Every structure is written in C-alpha cells, then in structure tokens.
Amino acid sequence: MEKKLKSFNLTGMLFVLPSVLIVILLLIYPIFSSIYFSFTSKNLIRPFYDFVWLENFKFVLTNPDFYRAFMNSIKWTVLSLAGQLFIGFTAALALNRIPKFTGLYRTLLIIPWAFPAIVIAFSWKYILNDVYGFLPNLLTKLGITDANINFLANPDLAFIVVVLINIWFGAPLFMVNILSALKTVPSEQYEAAQMDGASSFQVFWHITLRHIRVVIGLLLVLRTIWVFNNFDILYLITGGGPSDITTTLPIFAFKAGWGMKQLGVASAITVILLLFLLGICFLYFKLLDKWEREDR
C-alpha cells in the first residue's frame, strides 16, 4: 500500500513538474532577480557589482523624470481603460440586440485584437506618416488642415493619438467578454421589470449592470495590469517621444536598464511598479469580494 502511494505521488509529481518549472522560470525567477538586483549597483557593462541597498530606490524616488513617467502611466492606463470599457460595453449592448449574424459582427469587430503588436504599431506609423500617410493626406485634401500633420511628432497630439490607438486595440476584448456575460442575464427578470413598469435606466442599472459587474471588474483588473505594463505598442510607435511625452514607467525602466545600462536602477523601478500594481489589485479584489457577497 505504501509502495503504491509512493508510486502514485511520484507519477503525480512528474506530471506537475513541467508546470512548476515553467512558473519558476517565467514568473518567480524574474521577480526575485529584479528584487535582488534592485539592491545592487549592477551595470550591464561591468562584471562586478556591490550591494547599495536602498540607494537605487532613493535615486529613483528623487528623480523628477520618474514622476513624469509615473503620471504618464496613470493617464495612459485610465484613459485607455475608460475608452476601451465605454466602446466595448456599447458594442456589446448593440450586438446583444441584433438577432442575426451576431457571430459575424463579433468576428469582424475583434480583428484588431488578433494582430500582433508589431503589425499594429507599424501599420499606424504608416497611416499617420505626414508624407505618405493616409490620414494626414486625407485631412489636407478635405481642407480640414492646411498642411499634413505629423501626429506622432507633435507634443500636443502624440499622447492622445497613441491612447486612441490603444482604445481601438483593446475595446474588442471588453466587447467579447461583456457580450458573453450579457447572454447569461435571465430574460425572466427583464419581463418582470417590464410588468412592474421599470424604466430603461432602472432595468439597465438594477438588472443588466448588476449581473455583469463582476465580469467587468475582473476585466478591469486584468486590463489595468496589462495596460499599465504595456511596452511594445507604445515604444514601437513613439519610442517614448516626442520629448518624453509618451514615456511611461516600463519605457522609463527600459531606458534605464538598456539605454544607460543601469540594471540596478531599472530593477528598482520595476519593483516600485510591482508594488503599485499589487496595491491596485488589492483594492480591485476587495471591491469584487464585496459585489460577490451582495449577489449571494
């Protein structure tokens, strides 16, 4: 019996081992290595380093560029999520009302989500190019602008343009998930509300939104982490410019680590980023727990 138990445990461990190794290599090791190097003077072009303990954090937290990048990350995340949620929610409500070809419309609307980030970035750089780009030339031909505008080099326009691109990219994810949640709302509750004379807003607020708010909350948790950490689209389109207008914390950390070779400083930035996101997720999950308790 004991031999069988040992054999069973060994077989189970062999099955679980690949997953455990993947988690350790891809998740736990990078986190602990970042924490470790954040306390050191690690430089990518020097073989030796010393422990400087909190000096990297002191340097980062007294650097005005860090706070500028931090505020850019906040604006980038809040504006992107607000736009993605609004458009995704509106599209889901519209699709939920369409009796036919819902699958076709859903497939067409999710196309932006299917493209790799590098394709999206270079496509929009081509579309917005002030020499041969489609949009600047169209605006000039229509007489809306006197000359072609270089959207990505204009400090007044670059940030809002990349936010709009991110909204276009991320809204389909909200749409698909919210539409799936809308399908689960019991139709009997709508019929009962109609018989009681409830207004459209009351039906939306007390029935529709109440049933899908947990799904929306989970989407916001995932997308907050994703958008706040987003690096590829933003960096490939603007490189953090012009004049650091679009430099967010991930790009700031990248420039410190790979631009200035200061891996210790870059690790300190990522640790601060991690702590901030953990705090945000904690607040999100507290709110989700409260909603789940109310629904029981």
Side-chain angles (χ1 to χ4, degrees):
M1 182 68 185
E2 189 176 351
K3 285 183 178 180
K4 284 186 178 179
L5 184 61
K6 286 182 179 178
S7 174
F8 172 77
N9 289 338
L10 180 61
T11 305
M13 287 178 64
L14 287 174
F15 276 108
V16 173
L17 187 60
S19 302
V20 173
L21 288 175
I22 289 172
V23 170
I24 291 173
L25 291 174
L26 298 182
L27 183 63
I28 296 176
Y29 174 74
I31 291 174
F32 280 94
S33 65
S34 292
I35 294 172
Y36 174 78
F37 286 124
S38 68
F39 295 111
T40 70
S41 61
K42 177 71 176 175
N43 191 297
L44 289 177
I45 57 175
R46 290 204 301 261
F48 304 105
Y49 58 87
D50 300 315
F51 278 96
V52 295
W53 302 111
L54 296 176
E55 285 300 315
N56 288 330
F57 292 94
K58 184 179 176 183
F59 172 77
V60 170
L61 293 174
T62 55
N63 188 341
D65 291 337
F66 167 78
Y67 291 101
R68 194 175 301 116
F70 184 76
M71 288 309 299
N72 284 341
S73 289
I74 297 288
K75 288 189 294 181
W76 162 256
T77 305
V78 171
L79 292 175
S80 296
L81 286 180
Q84 290 176 7
L85 177 60
F86 177 74
I87 293 177
F89 203 156
T90 306
L93 289 173
L95 284 176
N96 196 40
R97 295 269 182 168
I98 297 175
K100 294 182 179 179
F101 307 118
T102 306
L104 175 63
Y105 297 134
R106 188 165 47 188
T107 304
L108 292 175
L109 289 172
I110 205 171
I111 284 176
W113 187 256
F115 284 104
I118 191 167
V119 175
I120 291 171
F122 285 117
S123 297
W124 278 106
K125 285 187 78 170
Y126 180 82
I127 292 170
L128 298 173
N129 188 280
D130 61 326
V131 177
Y132 49 79
F134 168 75
L135 190 59
N137 281 293
L138 177 65
L139 294 176
T140 304
K141 285 181 180 176
L142 292 175
I144 298 173
T145 57
D146 296 329
N148 288 2
I149 298 175
N150 192 342
F151 288 96
L152 299 178
N154 189 323
D156 296 326
L157 297 173
F159 190 84
I160 192 64
V161 167
V162 290
V163 167
L164 291 174
I165 293 172
N166 198 33
I167 291 172
W168 167 83
F169 172 68
L173 181 71
F174 277 91
M175 179 202 69
V176 170
N177 285 280
I178 292 174
L179 181 60
S180 300
L182 287 172
K183 299 291 185 187
T184 65
V185 181
S187 59
E188 295 82 6
Q189 294 193 9
Y190 288 123
E191 293 168 2
Q194 194 175 15
M195 292 175 65
D196 291 340
S199 65
S200 300
F201 178 77
Q202 288 173 323
V203 171
F204 170 76
W205 187 260
H206 293 290
I207 298 177
T208 305
L209 194 59
R210 191 177 181 86
H211 274 85
I212 65 173
R213 61 182 180 177
V214 174
V215 174
I216 294 176
L218 286 172
L219 277 171
L220 287 175
V221 172
L222 296 174
R223 288 299 294 164
T224 298
I225 297 170
W226 202 328
V227 174
F228 204 93
N229 283 325
N230 184 274
F231 172 82
D232 46 9
I233 289 182
L234 198 52
Y235 189 78
L236 288 170
I237 293 177
T238 66
S243 304
D244 290 337
I245 293 293
T246 60
T247 295
T248 55
L249 275 185
I251 295 177
F252 184 64
F254 175 80
K255 289 180 176 177
W258 293 99
M260 296 186 292
K261 312 300 181 188
Q262 295 177 335
L263 188 62
V265 174
S267 298
I269 296 169
T270 58
V271 170
I272 294 171
L273 182 63
L274 173 67
L275 294 175
F276 176 75
L277 287 176
L278 286 176
I280 294 293
C281 290
F282 175 77
L283 295 177
Y284 269 132
F285 283 121
K286 290 289 285 183
L287 182 62
L288 288 175
D289 288 341
K290 180 186 173 187
W291 286 349
E292 287 178 346
R293 283 197 301 272
E294 289 176 355
D295 290 341
R296 286 171 190 165

